Amino acid sequence: MDITRANFQDSLPIIQQALQDCHFFALDCEMTGLDLQDTKQEYLDEIEDRYHQTAKGGSQFSLTQFGLSAFVWSETEHKYRPRTFNFYVFPRPTKGYDRRFLSQAGSLEFLAGQGFDFNKWIYHGVPFMPAEWRDKQLRSLNKAQDRREITIQRADDKVFVKSMQDQVANWIQSQEQTLLLEPSNAYRRAIQYQQLEKLQKADRGNQGFYVQRVSGLVGAQLQLVKATPEEAKQHEEEERQARLQAIHDAAGFTAVFEMMRDCNKPAVGHNLSFDLTFCLSSFAQSLPPSWPAYKQLVQQWFPAGVWDTKHLARQLQAVFEGDTSLGHVYQGLVEGGLDQAVAEFLADQTNEPGKWAFPDISHADGYEAYQGPEASSHAHEAGYDAYMTGVAFACLVRLYEAAGSKPGQTQSKTSQQPSLEAVQHLIGRLNIGRCDIPYGALWGEDPQPDRSHVMLAAGLQPDTCFKPLGEQLSKHLGVRVRVTPLWQLATSQSSSALLELPVEDLPDSARLAAALVICRQPHAQVKLYHCARYALSS
């Protein structure tokens, strides 16, 4: 189901109901870009480095689509009936919030190649802003009802106030229905509001007025309209409610993100790192400065946990043999591409492999947009990718159930709902690509990779080319040396790098330093790398 600004408000109740009814929900995002030009992933990055890289992308690019697929288990049909929503989302400018964001040419070209409708995105996308921005505007609106008293001290301000008071008094006695006050700056306009509020409270029987802010030829002006005190009070309340509604309308999709949090159901994504940073930056708040603080933020917004299907699939190498892309996992498990590998895996894990069938899954009534032979044409549409992720997760859970089964245990069948207890130990584990860190732990302690074979080389030449340096060191030492530059420690006088050496043939520091001198690094200092954030050990 496509959701745009036109049907968003009407769709909120059914979205909320889907989240309340579901066993778990899957999400997927499409973006205007991922990587900033000054970010580069290295094999020996720390988890803090990877977080900052993804956080920069999530904060400076924008979402274009958000996919949400709520997997509801039907007790009568004994199968999943997913309800899938494909949202176009666009950060529409509003008072106090006009977001700037970057675009990456390759990402936009990719979206265009998938048939993405950019006009629909901009003109009809559901608005959004971070909840912290929305709440700030709501607090500001409430404060406006209780303005601090401005003390009138300057002579020209006193003349300004006296002139306005006389003008309003003469107008009240006149037959004119409205009065347009003279244009003024923000400070003088605050004085006008203060004095008008006092005049409104004056006892004049049934004579009263309310205040409107209008756009004049030279900027904002205040216009007074005659009304009874009751009419004036009603108008002010209607104006306040309209401003409140305008703020909530501008926040738009943020309400759905809060529903996802409040439903307290497990969340699932594929290669989830970027999706999470984009979601939290767009709908929650500015991203925290550190990985531990970010973990707390994720747990706050996803209290029932998150699961990364790419990480789950990577743990089943016997089935996927290295290719854990979403398309390969989905096609292999759902469309039969990996039937032989799955059968061999089940035969190896259990005595009754035939009883561990994948659960039945069919779209709920009214949600058949991704059904039929043309469904794959929607690939890389956020809604369809969210649906594929949810299907993959349901099948992966069944494989983990089989792997964790005990002899004689009653076997699961197609008609039985998969139990998430089978993957509870994998909660919050994010896939980390091209790195020796096995996963990012959003729940629990961060895993510490063995880097006893890694040395830190400081004092390298500032213009060092690191790939040739690795090749030269490998040649002189007779072993393969992987060089990871530490851009964080680079200065105009020197640069630093991590040197990863083979565990079975680890040269000592003196031999490595000598090789660096041969490689034209006369000032290099080599020490054992032994803890996070590039500490040195003698």
Side-chain angles (χ1 to χ4, degrees):
M1 178 184 293
D2 267 4
I3 306 293
T4 64
R5 199 154 45 110
N7 64 343
F8 175 67
Q9 289 296 332
D10 291 339
S11 300
L12 284 176
I14 63 173
I15 297 167
Q16 185 173 35
Q17 191 63 55
L19 288 168
Q20 290 175 351
D21 293 344
C22 73
H23 182 210
F24 66 88
F25 64 86
L27 62 91
D28 182 78
C29 300
E30 298 297 329
M31 310 93 161
T32 62
L34 287 177
D35 302 308
L36 299 178
Q37 287 183 316
D38 62 345
T39 60
K40 185 178 180 181
Q41 294 184 347
E42 300 291 351
Y43 183 75
L44 294 177
D45 279 339
E46 298 289 345
I47 189 63
E48 190 79 27
D49 299 321
R50 288 300 180 94
Y51 165 63
H52 284 291
Q53 291 163 6
T54 56
K56 285 181 180 179
S59 301
Q60 298 190 44
F61 293 104
S62 178
L63 292 171
T64 59
Q65 277 185 339
F66 186 94
L68 173 65
S69 192
F71 275 67
V72 180
W73 181 261
S74 171
E75 294 291 351
T76 56
E77 299 175 276
H78 304 291
K79 62 182 177 180
Y80 281 118
R81 301 298 304 276
R83 307 172 197 173
T84 304
F85 306 90
N86 183 59
F87 299 85
Y88 284 82
V89 290
F90 182 78
R92 193 162 304 281
T94 186
K95 182 181 178 182
Y97 183 77
D98 187 5
R99 185 181 175 188
R100 278 72 167 166
F101 60 84
L102 298 176
S103 294
Q104 191 171 341
S107 295
L108 298 186
E109 183 180 49
F110 174 80
L111 289 174
Q114 302 300 317
F116 182 77
D117 190 335
F118 287 92
N119 283 326
K120 189 174 184 178
W121 170 50
I122 295 172
Y123 290 116
H124 304 293
V126 178
F128 66 87
M129 69 171 65
E132 69 173 357
W133 272 89
R134 178 204 59 199
D135 296 343
K136 179 181 178 182
Q137 291 195 355
L138 291 173
R139 288 193 298 270
S140 177
L141 180 60
N142 291 329
K143 287 180 181 178
Q145 308 300 311
D146 186 25
R147 298 185 181 89
R148 289 199 314 178
E149 178 79 14
I150 300 174
T151 303
I152 310 300
Q153 295 180 328
R154 291 176 11 183
D156 58 336
D157 287 339
K158 293 180 179 180
V159 171
F160 173 75
V161 170
K162 182 65 169 62
S163 174
M164 185 190 70
Q165 290 173 335
D166 292 342
Q167 186 183 12
V168 173
N170 292 333
W171 167 69
I172 289 176
Q173 299 302 320
S174 73
Q175 299 299 313
E176 296 295 327
Q177 184 66 19
T178 63
L179 171 65
L180 186 64
L181 299 182
E182 65 179 84
S184 59
N185 58 32
Y187 171 70
R188 285 262 172 107
R189 196 156 50 247
I191 293 177
Q192 287 178 327
Y193 275 118
Q194 177 175 292
Q195 298 303 316
L196 290 170
E197 186 175 348
K198 292 178 180 179
L199 292 172
Q200 284 176 311
K201 293 178 180 178
D203 185 8
R204 291 189 300 275
N206 206 38
Q207 289 183 321
F209 63 88
Y210 57 81
V211 183
Q212 293 178 323
R213 178 170 171 155
V214 297
S215 297
L217 296 175
V218 290
Q221 294 178 253
L222 300 185
Q223 178 174 266
L224 313 187
V225 180
K226 286 181 178 177
T228 66
E230 292 77 14
E231 290 171 339
K233 185 176 181 180
Q234 179 181 351
H235 178 270
E236 289 175 1
E237 181 59 25
E238 290 173 351
E239 285 285 298
R240 182 175 182 277
Q241 291 301 322
R243 290 195 291 271
L244 280 171
Q245 189 59 49
I247 293 172
H248 285 291
D249 288 346
F253 187 85
T254 302
V256 175
F257 199 61
E258 289 176 320
M259 290 177 187
M260 292 163 54
R261 175 196 63 195
D262 296 342
C263 77
N264 200 27
K265 300 296 178 63
V268 178
H270 190 83
N271 211 10
L272 199 51
S273 294
F274 276 106
D275 297 275
L276 286 178
T277 55
F278 271 80
C279 286
L280 291 166
S281 175
S282 300
F283 310 132
Q285 65 172 65
S286 300
L287 295 178
S290 70
W291 170 248
Y294 177 70
K295 292 169 64 168
Q296 293 180 355
L297 181 65
V298 174
Q299 293 175 31
Q300 173 188 335
W301 280 89
F302 296 92
V306 297
W307 278 263
D308 188 335
T309 51
K310 188 172 183 70
H311 179 73
L312 266 63
R314 287 185 68 181
Q315 310 315 301
L316 303 177
Q317 288 298 313
V319 177
F320 299 104
E321 297 181 348
D323 187 350
T324 55
S325 63
L326 178 57
H328 181 72
V329 172
Y330 177 83
Q331 291 167 6
L333 298 180
V334 177
E335 299 176 0
L338 293 172
D339 280 356
Q340 182 63 34
V342 169
E344 293 174 359
F345 173 81
L346 291 174
D348 185 58
Q349 298 294 326
T350 176
N351 294 328
E352 299 180 275
K355 292 188 177 181
W356 290 95
F358 292 141
D360 278 344
I361 302 171
S362 62
H363 298 281
D365 296 340
Y367 297 85
E368 298 91 351
Y370 302 134
Q371 187 170 291
E374 301 299 321
S376 61
S377 66
H378 294 280
H380 303 296
E381 185 173 283
Y384 184 64
D385 284 4
Y387 164 73
M388 286 200 301
T389 299
V391 173
F393 179 69
C395 295
L396 286 166
V397 171
R398 183 53 47 86
L399 293 179
Y400 276 93
E401 283 183 302
S405 64
K406 299 177 182 178
Q409 177 180 325
T410 301
Q411 301 300 309
S412 295
K413 298 179 181 179
T414 304
S415 61
Q416 293 180 334
Q417 178 179 340
S419 171
L420 301 193
E421 291 183 7
V423 292
Q424 189 61 34
H425 62 293
L426 300 175
I427 184 174
R429 294 190 178 184
L430 298 180
N431 177 64
I432 303 292
R434 297 188 297 277
C435 189
D436 65 344
I437 300 173
Y439 55 84
L442 292 171
W443 267 254
E445 294 295 322
D446 293 310
Q448 298 298 323
D450 178 12
R451 293 181 176 175
S452 59
H453 58 299
V454 177
M455 309 292 281
L456 192 153
L460 303 177
Q461 299 290 355
D463 58 350
T464 296
C465 295
F466 294 99
K467 184 176 181 180
L469 176 61
E471 295 170 350
Q472 293 167 13
L473 286 172
S474 298
K475 178 180 178 181
H476 288 296
L477 293 170
V479 296
R480 183 177 183 273
V481 180
R482 187 202 301 263
V483 179
T484 298
L486 297 178
W487 306 110
Q488 301 90 332
L489 303 185
T491 68
S492 59
Q493 286 79 38
S494 67
S495 59
S496 301
L498 296 178
L499 310 179
E500 183 185 9
L501 302 151
V503 177
E504 65 277 3
D505 191 12
L506 186 65
D508 58 30
S509 298
R511 183 181 168 203
L512 188 54
L516 283 166
V517 171
I518 296 174
C519 296
R520 300 181 180 179
Q521 299 290 344
H523 305 296
Q525 301 174 358
V526 179
K527 296 187 178 182
L528 180 64
Y529 169 88
H530 75 136
C531 65
R533 310 314 298 159
Y534 324 117
L536 293 175
S537 175
S538 299

